Amino acid sequence: MTVPCQVVTGLVEYHRFHIVQSIGGPVIEQLRGWVGAHDLDRELADWVSRPSVSRTGEGMVEAAAHGLRLLRASGLEAREVETGGWPALVGTADGPGLHVLIYGHYDVQPAGPLELWTTPPFVPSIRDGRMYGRGTGDNKGQHLAQLLGLRALRDLTGGFPCRVTVLLDGEEEIGSPNLAVALRQVGQPDLVIWSDGPVHDSGRATVVLGVRGILMFELRARGANRPLHSGNWGGVAPNPAWTLVQLLATMRSADGTVTVPGFADDVPPLTDGQRAALADLPVDVAGTLEAIGAAGLEPPIGLGFHERLALPTLTVNSLSCEDSGDHRAVIPDVAIARCEARLVDGQTPDQVADAIRRHVAKYAPEVEFVPGAAMSPSVTLPETPYTATIFRAVEEVLGHRPLLVPSLGGSLPIAALSEVFSCPCYGVPLANVDEANHAADENLDLDLFRRGVVAAATIQLALAALS
């Protein structure tokens, strides 16, 4: 039986969703009892202690084998999927109703300078209720919570409430170049759930509906065949730095408007639901600016803090000349602008690259456009039917109303999932704000990890009740 439910304060003016009736405290208490009866910290430590650095290959073969064992221990039929790179790990189980795909990744970042770690990165240690080690938050602890949620359901009920596929990517930390190959080996799901990144800065849980994409590129301008004395050649030899600066000035106006034709022509306006969810996200703008030493927000004026992170951007990451860092009285022979565009719904990396390429050819045909790494954006609208169910399930477990995040400012390979399957994708982060992912002393709050196990199982039960 379904009942009307107001999902998010601020969204109620615009939408009413239908959600399953609360699955109730007894079931959640059973799940918490299961968590308390098992040594899940040890299982996490065992997983984290196995290096899986996709960039260098360290430990990847052994980690893939252990990942398969974890899938099987959760009651899934497990197999490796060859991709042409590091394999993906896929686990499947039949169940009634919806087909839910759970995405995570088993590869991790390199440890970095060992002297910055309090304890060795692949020797997990527990301090003050947190486990420290590379991969604790990004992403072994988070996808393990999802797997343990499935295992709890199997142990408590004898099966799974939904048909489930778990896909663990082996190349997320190097851009998931072969993820699409693995996805072609997976049946069409009704929705995707992923757990990555931290909860909100305020400590409140979040349900994330999308991520921005990215296109990185360089603009290279060349002058003479070598640096030239600026006194002897100034006013005679072309200066590629000025060429580049003047080109960049044609690409964005002083008020912050990107002026590249075709850059964002097909970007739809934010929906009422997206705007309401963005407005509901807490932020101390003045405090945030003070913390980074900035006097004000980037133009254009009139946009909300979180609204800016849901819109496309064009950013200059660095400007340089090939001068070895010296300040010499020369006219440089090469000038380089390293740039990026963050992409939203209605944009693709190829489309944006073509727009920038045409613009450069018009205003500075002698400048070379060099495209780099790219990821597409992914969007799931708040109005999508499953949103309310997942939102309420998280609320049931954690005891507070989570925040609905229409789009992360950063980029993750979630678009590969939404593009291949054309289905909604939901992020349920299960790591603490200060997880230090990619840095030394990466860590995971173990209480949040355990609650994440209960949340993962509860989401499956709530989705099953929709069938």
Short mmCIF file of all heavy atoms in Angstrom, two decimals, residues 202-227:
data_model
loop_
_atom_site.label_atom_id
_atom_site.label_comp_id
_atom_site.label_asym_id
_atom_site.label_seq_id
_atom_site.Cartn_x
_atom_site.Cartn_y
_atom_site.Cartn_z
N SER A 202 27.49 19.59 6.80
CA SER A 202 26.81 19.74 8.09
C SER A 202 26.75 18.43 8.86
O SER A 202 26.36 18.41 10.03
CB SER A 202 25.38 20.26 7.87
OG SER A 202 24.62 19.30 7.15
N GLY A 203 27.13 17.33 8.22
CA GLY A 203 27.04 16.01 8.83
C GLY A 203 25.75 15.28 8.52
O GLY A 203 25.59 14.11 8.86
N ARG A 204 24.81 15.97 7.85
CA ARG A 204 23.55 15.33 7.50
C ARG A 204 23.73 14.43 6.29
O ARG A 204 24.55 14.69 5.40
CB ARG A 204 22.48 16.38 7.21
CG ARG A 204 21.98 17.08 8.46
CD ARG A 204 21.12 18.27 8.16
NE ARG A 204 19.92 17.93 7.40
CZ ARG A 204 19.03 18.83 6.99
NH1 ARG A 204 19.22 20.12 7.27
NH2 ARG A 204 17.97 18.46 6.32
N ALA A 205 22.94 13.36 6.27
CA ALA A 205 22.96 12.44 5.13
C ALA A 205 22.44 13.14 3.89
O ALA A 205 21.71 14.14 3.96
CB ALA A 205 22.11 11.22 5.44
N THR A 206 22.82 12.62 2.74
CA THR A 206 22.37 13.18 1.47
C THR A 206 21.90 12.08 0.54
O THR A 206 22.35 10.93 0.63
CB THR A 206 23.49 13.98 0.76
OG1 THR A 206 24.60 13.10 0.53
CG2 THR A 206 23.94 15.16 1.58
N VAL A 207 21.00 12.45 -0.35
CA VAL A 207 20.65 11.63 -1.50
C VAL A 207 21.02 12.46 -2.72
O VAL A 207 20.48 13.55 -2.92
CB VAL A 207 19.15 11.26 -1.51
CG1 VAL A 207 18.80 10.50 -2.79
CG2 VAL A 207 18.79 10.42 -0.29
N VAL A 208 21.96 11.96 -3.50
CA VAL A 208 22.53 12.72 -4.62
C VAL A 208 21.91 12.25 -5.92
O VAL A 208 21.86 11.05 -6.21
CB VAL A 208 24.06 12.55 -4.67
CG1 VAL A 208 24.65 13.38 -5.80
CG2 VAL A 208 24.69 12.97 -3.34
N LEU A 209 21.45 13.22 -6.72
CA LEU A 209 20.72 12.88 -7.94
C LEU A 209 21.54 13.02 -9.22
O LEU A 209 21.07 12.63 -10.27
CB LEU A 209 19.47 13.76 -8.05
CG LEU A 209 18.47 13.64 -6.90
CD1 LEU A 209 17.25 14.52 -7.17
CD2 LEU A 209 18.05 12.20 -6.69
N GLY A 210 22.72 13.59 -9.13
CA GLY A 210 23.48 13.75 -10.37
C GLY A 210 24.89 14.23 -10.10
O GLY A 210 25.26 14.57 -8.97
N VAL A 211 25.68 14.26 -11.15
CA VAL A 211 27.05 14.77 -11.09
C VAL A 211 27.31 15.57 -12.36
O VAL A 211 26.77 15.29 -13.42
CB VAL A 211 28.09 13.63 -10.98
CG1 VAL A 211 27.92 12.86 -9.70
CG2 VAL A 211 28.01 12.69 -12.18
N ARG A 212 28.12 16.61 -12.21
CA ARG A 212 28.53 17.34 -13.41
C ARG A 212 29.59 16.53 -14.16
O ARG A 212 30.34 15.76 -13.57
CB ARG A 212 29.10 18.71 -13.04
CG ARG A 212 28.05 19.68 -12.57
CD ARG A 212 28.50 21.13 -12.61
NE ARG A 212 29.52 21.43 -11.62
CZ ARG A 212 29.94 22.66 -11.33
NH1 ARG A 212 29.41 23.71 -11.97
NH2 ARG A 212 30.86 22.87 -10.42
N GLY A 213 29.61 16.72 -15.48
CA GLY A 213 30.66 16.13 -16.29
C GLY A 213 31.84 17.08 -16.38
O GLY A 213 31.84 18.18 -15.81
N ILE A 214 32.85 16.68 -17.14
CA ILE A 214 34.04 17.52 -17.28
C ILE A 214 34.67 17.30 -18.64
O ILE A 214 34.64 16.19 -19.20
CB ILE A 214 35.05 17.21 -16.16
CG1 ILE A 214 36.18 18.23 -16.16
CG2 ILE A 214 35.58 15.79 -16.27
CD1 ILE A 214 37.09 18.13 -14.94
N LEU A 215 35.22 18.36 -19.20
CA LEU A 215 36.09 18.29 -20.37
C LEU A 215 37.33 19.11 -20.04
O LEU A 215 37.23 20.31 -19.78
CB LEU A 215 35.41 18.87 -21.61
CG LEU A 215 36.34 19.09 -22.82
CD1 LEU A 215 36.81 17.76 -23.39
CD2 LEU A 215 35.66 19.93 -23.89
N MET A 216 38.47 18.48 -20.02
CA MET A 216 39.73 19.18 -19.81
C MET A 216 40.37 19.42 -21.16
O MET A 216 40.27 18.58 -22.08
CB MET A 216 40.64 18.38 -18.89
CG MET A 216 40.00 18.04 -17.55
SD MET A 216 41.14 17.35 -16.33
CE MET A 216 41.99 18.83 -15.82
N PHE A 217 41.03 20.57 -21.31
CA PHE A 217 41.66 20.87 -22.60
C PHE A 217 42.78 21.89 -22.41
O PHE A 217 42.87 22.58 -21.37
CB PHE A 217 40.64 21.37 -23.62
CG PHE A 217 39.96 22.67 -23.26
CD1 PHE A 217 40.44 23.89 -23.71
CD2 PHE A 217 38.81 22.66 -22.48
CE1 PHE A 217 39.80 25.08 -23.39
CE2 PHE A 217 38.16 23.84 -22.14
CZ PHE A 217 38.66 25.06 -22.60
N GLU A 218 43.64 21.96 -23.42
CA GLU A 218 44.70 22.96 -23.45
C GLU A 218 44.54 23.83 -24.69
O GLU A 218 44.08 23.36 -25.74
CB GLU A 218 46.09 22.31 -23.50
CG GLU A 218 46.51 21.63 -22.22
CD GLU A 218 47.93 21.11 -22.30
OE1 GLU A 218 48.59 21.29 -23.36
OE2 GLU A 218 48.41 20.53 -21.30
N LEU A 219 44.93 25.09 -24.56
CA LEU A 219 45.06 26.00 -25.68
C LEU A 219 46.55 26.35 -25.79
O LEU A 219 47.14 26.86 -24.83
CB LEU A 219 44.23 27.26 -25.47
CG LEU A 219 42.72 27.04 -25.34
CD1 LEU A 219 42.02 28.34 -24.96
CD2 LEU A 219 42.13 26.47 -26.62
N ARG A 220 47.15 26.07 -26.93
CA ARG A 220 48.59 26.29 -27.12
C ARG A 220 48.82 27.30 -28.24
O ARG A 220 48.40 27.07 -29.38
CB ARG A 220 49.30 24.98 -27.47
CG ARG A 220 49.37 23.99 -26.32
CD ARG A 220 50.06 22.71 -26.73
NE ARG A 220 50.41 21.90 -25.56
CZ ARG A 220 51.59 21.93 -24.95
NH1 ARG A 220 52.54 22.72 -25.43
NH2 ARG A 220 51.81 21.20 -23.88
N ALA A 221 49.45 28.40 -27.87
CA ALA A 221 49.79 29.43 -28.86
C ALA A 221 51.30 29.46 -29.05
O ALA A 221 52.06 29.36 -28.08
CB ALA A 221 49.29 30.79 -28.39
N ARG A 222 51.73 29.60 -30.29
CA ARG A 222 53.17 29.61 -30.59
C ARG A 222 53.54 30.90 -31.32
O ARG A 222 52.75 31.44 -32.09
CB ARG A 222 53.55 28.40 -31.46
CG ARG A 222 53.21 27.07 -30.79
CD ARG A 222 53.63 25.88 -31.63
NE ARG A 222 53.24 24.62 -31.00
CZ ARG A 222 53.92 24.00 -30.05
NH1 ARG A 222 55.08 24.53 -29.64
NH2 ARG A 222 53.49 22.88 -29.51
N GLY A 223 54.74 31.37 -31.02
CA GLY A 223 55.26 32.57 -31.67
C GLY A 223 56.46 32.24 -32.53
O GLY A 223 56.35 31.47 -33.49
N ALA A 224 57.62 32.77 -32.17
CA ALA A 224 58.85 32.48 -32.90
C ALA A 224 59.34 31.07 -32.55
O ALA A 224 58.74 30.37 -31.73
CB ALA A 224 59.91 33.52 -32.57
N ASN A 225 60.45 30.70 -33.14
CA ASN A 225 60.96 29.34 -32.90
C ASN A 225 61.82 29.25 -31.64
O ASN A 225 62.35 28.19 -31.33
CB ASN A 225 61.73 28.82 -34.11
CG ASN A 225 62.92 29.69 -34.46
OD1 ASN A 225 63.28 30.63 -33.72
ND2 ASN A 225 63.54 29.42 -35.60
N ARG A 226 61.93 30.34 -30.90
CA ARG A 226 62.67 30.36 -29.64
C ARG A 226 62.30 31.64 -28.89
O ARG A 226 61.80 32.61 -29.49
CB ARG A 226 64.18 30.31 -29.89
CG ARG A 226 64.72 31.53 -30.65
CD ARG A 226 66.18 31.34 -31.01
NE ARG A 226 66.75 32.54 -31.63
CZ ARG A 226 66.61 32.84 -32.91
NH1 ARG A 226 65.93 32.03 -33.72
NH2 ARG A 226 67.17 33.94 -33.40
N PRO A 227 62.53 31.71 -27.57
CA PRO A 227 62.33 32.97 -26.86
C PRO A 227 63.26 34.04 -27.40
O PRO A 227 64.43 33.76 -27.72
CB PRO A 227 62.66 32.60 -25.40
CG PRO A 227 62.53 31.12 -25.33
CD PRO A 227 62.93 30.61 -26.67
#
